Every structure is written in C-alpha cells, then in structure tokens.
Amino acid sequence: MFLERRRGVLLHFTSLPGPYGAGDLGPVARSVAEGMAAQGWTIWQMLPLNYPNPAMGFSPYASYGALPLNPTVISLDDLAEEGWIPGEELRNLQVRLPDPWRADLQGAFRARRAGVALAFQALKRGHMRDRYLEFRQREWEWLEGWGVFMALKDSLGGSHWVHWPERFRSLERALAHWDEGLEEGAELYRFEQFLARRQLDRFRAHCEALGVRLLGDMPIYVAHDGMDPWACPYLFELDGEGNPVEVAGVPPDYFSETGQRWGNPLYRWEAMGEDRYLWWRVRLRKALEWFHAVRLDHFRGFAGYWAIPAEEMTAVRGRWRPGPGEALFDALVEDLGGDPSGEGPSLPIVAEDLGVITQDVTRLRLRYRLPGMRVLQFAFSGGDDNPHLPFNHEGLGLAYTGTHDNDTTLGWWLSASAEERRGLFRYVGRPLTAEEAVREMVRLALNSPSRWRIVPLQDLMLLGSRHRMNTPSSREGNWVFRAMRVELDGLLGG
C-alpha cells in the first residue's frame, strides 16, 4: 500500500459539517469520500477515533480507553434511516452553533448520547437484537469491562477511578462487588459501541469501494483515568494505590526550557513482554479493523522514552529509559503476518518521527521499513541537509505541508522568520505573497518524492491561524475546527 503513489487530505471527522454539533461518519462523510475519489484524493487521514474524556476538552489523544470508539462517529441520520430512532426526533437532537466554523463537541456528545438512548429502547423492543448479541459475544473480552467502567464512573459522579471505593478500583474487584442496579447503564455503553462500530464499518466499506484508504492515528500512551490502567494495572508503572510512579513526556529542548510533562502512566514493558505484548497486538489489530494503516504517535518512545517522577511538575528531572524496541515490533510482525524481508514496510504503520530523532530511533524505523513523516513547515531553516526539504524526502515516506499540531500554513507563513521566508523564496525561485506561499507549499508537498502526500484541509482552503486544529500545551480552543459545506463541496466535491 505504501508503495503506491497517493495524495490525501488530513481531515478529522468531527470537522465535517452537520446539524448535530460536529461531524460524523454518516451521509456527509460518505459524500466527501466520493468527491475526494472523483478528484484523485485517495487517502483520508483522521485523528484517533477513541472515546474522548470530556474533562480533557474532548481531545482525540486523551481517551477513556484504547479500544472503545468515540460515539460522535454515530450518524443520527443513519440511525433514523435504519429504524433505530423516529425521524421526527432528529430536529430535537440538532445543536445550534453560534460560530459555523467551530464545532460544539460537548453538544455533539450530548446529541449522540440522547440518540443512543432512543435507539436502546428500539433494541429492547427487539430491533436488530440478534446482530447486537453477535457483536457483544465477539467483542466481549474488552466490552464487558468497558460497560462496567463507564457505569461506575457515571454512578460516582465522573470521578477518577483512583478515588473510587476500594471495592471498585480494579475490574476484578468491581466484578466481585457488582451492583446489578448499574447493569442497564453498563449495557447502554456496550450497545453504543455496537452502533459506532456498525457505522464505522459501513463508512470504511464505502471508502474501500471508492479506492480511498483510511489512515488513522494511535497515541503511544493512554490516559491514567481510563479503562486500561484500571483493568490491567500490572501493565503500567503504578503504585499500590493506582497512582503513577513515573509519567510520560519529553525533555527540555529548543522549544521549551522545561520540556513537556504529559502525565500519562508509563508501561511496564517487561510485564508486557511476558505474553509477547498481547495488549499491543490486540490494540493494533483493532485499529486495523478501523483503518487501512495507522500513524504511530511518538515513535521515538519505542526506542527510548523520557520518564518523569510523578511528583515533578515539569519534565526537567526526567531520565531516559530503554523502550521495547525490536522485541515489540517482531511480535507485531509475527501476529499480523507481516513480511520481514520484502521491499515494502513489514507493518501497515507510519512512524511519527518528528522532533529530535536519534540514530537508534531511525535504525528501528528502517529495520521494519516503516515510512516516516516530513513536514514542509520545518523545511526552510538550517542547511541543505534538513530532512524536511523536498529534495531530501524518502520515497517510502509521507510528505505534509503541516500536521494537526502545526499552525495552518497561512498562519505559519504570516509568523515565519525572515530565514524561513528567504528559504522558501530561494527554493521556488521568486518572492511570494502570503496566498502564493500557501499554494506553493501545497504544490511542493504534492510533488514530493514521497509516495504518500498529505495536505490538511485548512491549507487547501487557505485558512489562517484561527482555524488550526491544535496548539500543543494549550487546553483552550483545540479540536473544534469545522469546515463549511459550501467550501468543502468546492474543494473536494463533497
């Protein structure tokens, strides 16, 4: 797949237009996929689809679990079409948006929860019950615990699981002290996953028929307040009370004197290795049921990772610890039946290798022939050996104008240094206006030697900083970019 020359769009599903607060994977998404295919865009890259934590601003990178899906993928229109909810209820579920360019993720979440509750009543009346029971049996290994975790969280006011009564602080203990009065709430969360997966499967099949491939995203770490550390504490660096001993982050660098303290619990890699990384193998298999390929975030952490004592408020006093390296990737290759000796990648994984990358990280990536990432916004400072300059791009790689963590290219250009502007001028052979600079960056990305070329929708729309998806280290105003339907139709034929 990575050996085929393709171009694509970076566009998270919540950024699609729609009347329910944020986009979903229903009719609009299918229409956009059709328009993309008609105009030769055959990769659709999205951010993680995991169930987001509302307390973390609905960040796709801060979820309640590694396997459960975000219920916002559920199309309420499709539920009505399939007879799950009465069509006349749709108007009551619509969300008014004060700013049409910004999604209301909280409102979108409430609308889906209300729609799922209506559909649950149809399930009780027998609607598609056999299909639900089949799904429940197939996914039971993780689905049972998911329902228990979320039902307990609701009953305990949404508090972090480390503050729950002792009898509920692990899946094993919770099942031993289960309150049957919570079972309907647990079943509602399991049923919600059935609806979400059903709609994701329909969307993926539609894209496949069009020749569009879905590129997903997998964060390296999971949240402390989530199902995984609660259900499998032995896989994480936790103390006897369930609190992290050390947490994830990155050390001080050019961009931050104190580094970045992310706060995720770290893995007990030795414990994970005892069953040949079963947790990771299951996680990747599930992700590849959703997507055709997956971008693996913070790839450098698999070679070596920065461990910060949990009591530290910054990342300064951390230490480097060795990652699982080849042992993990050998297990993944064996599990997925990858070809360790062919010309292409041995796994359907994109290695996010941005930032300060050391030789051991590059060796690990090349050992498994995984494509890396090159970003043009990083290209025009430094010398000719800058790996992000187009003439240094690898064929087995992905070229971007920018990523979800970058400013839009217009925003980048308007705040670019004199060195960066001169660098782009020299590369294209002439001075540029702001709009011309964006168009040239898109042209350079699409003409990169890298076989996969990705452009964020905001750059195709020539949008400025107000429309960037995420500002790292900022917790306000992220993840809410929303495209207008008329512009989307004009660009992608959606």
Side-chain angles (χ1 to χ4, degrees), residues 10 60 129 156-157 165 168 177 198 248 259 403 414 427 469 482 489:
L10 173 55
R129 185 164 186 83
L156 296 167
F168 295 143
H177 298 88
R198 182 177 173 81
T403 75
L414 293 176
Y427 204 90
M469 193 61 166
R482 179 179 183 273
D489 288 353

Side-chain angles (χ1 to χ4, degrees), residues 17-32:
Y20 308 108
D24 51 51
L25 296 183
V28 172
R30 295 192 295 272
S31 175
V32 168

Side-chain angles (χ1 to χ4, degrees), residues 48-128:
L49 296 186
N50 305 96
Y51 203 107
N53 182 342
M56 299 297 289
F58 294 93
S59 167
Y61 295 89
S63 69
Y64 279 143
L67 301 183
L69 283 164
N70 184 341
T72 313
V73 304
I74 297 172
S75 164
L76 299 174
D77 291 315
D78 281 353
L79 289 187
E81 178 189 296
E82 290 190 329
W84 286 108
I85 60 178
E88 60 270 19
E89 292 284 352
L90 293 179
R91 183 177 296 275
N92 297 329
L93 299 175
Q94 293 183 4
V95 177
R96 180 180 176 275
L97 296 177
D99 184 344
W101 286 101
R102 298 175 74 81
D104 178 354
L105 299 180
Q106 181 76 51
F109 211 73
R110 285 197 302 266
R112 291 343 183 268
R113 293 292 294 160
V116 169
L118 289 170
F120 194 50
Q121 299 308 309
L123 178 73
K124 289 180 177 181
R125 296 190 296 269
H127 187 62
M128 296 193 194

Side-chain angles (χ1 to χ4, degrees), residues 296 299-300 351-355 357 361 365 371-374 388:
L296 195 51
F299 181 80
R300 76 105 48 246
E352 186 274 289
D353 58 344
L354 304 176
I357 297 301
V361 181
R365 180 177 69 82
M373 296 174 59
R374 298 298 174 258
H388 299 282

Side-chain angles (χ1 to χ4, degrees), residues 147-148 151-152 155 168 178-187:
V148 170
L152 284 171
S155 72
F168 295 143
W178 184 236
D179 180 353
E180 290 298 330
L182 298 177
E183 182 56 32
E184 179 160 325
E187 198 64 17

Side-chain angles (χ1 to χ4, degrees), residues 233-261:
Y234 53 91
L235 298 179
F236 298 85
E237 295 281 5
L238 305 177
D239 63 20
E241 299 299 315
N243 293 303
V245 176
E246 293 180 312
V247 297
V250 291
D253 57 19
Y254 174 81
F255 299 101
S256 173
E257 294 181 356
T258 58
Q260 296 181 43
R261 183 190 185 279

Side-chain angles (χ1 to χ4, degrees), residues 22 56 136 140 148 234 247 290 340 345 379 406 430 453 490:
M56 299 297 289
R136 194 170 180 253
W140 186 251
V148 170
Y234 53 91
V247 297
W290 303 349
N406 293 104
R430 63 185 177 91
R453 289 86 27 82

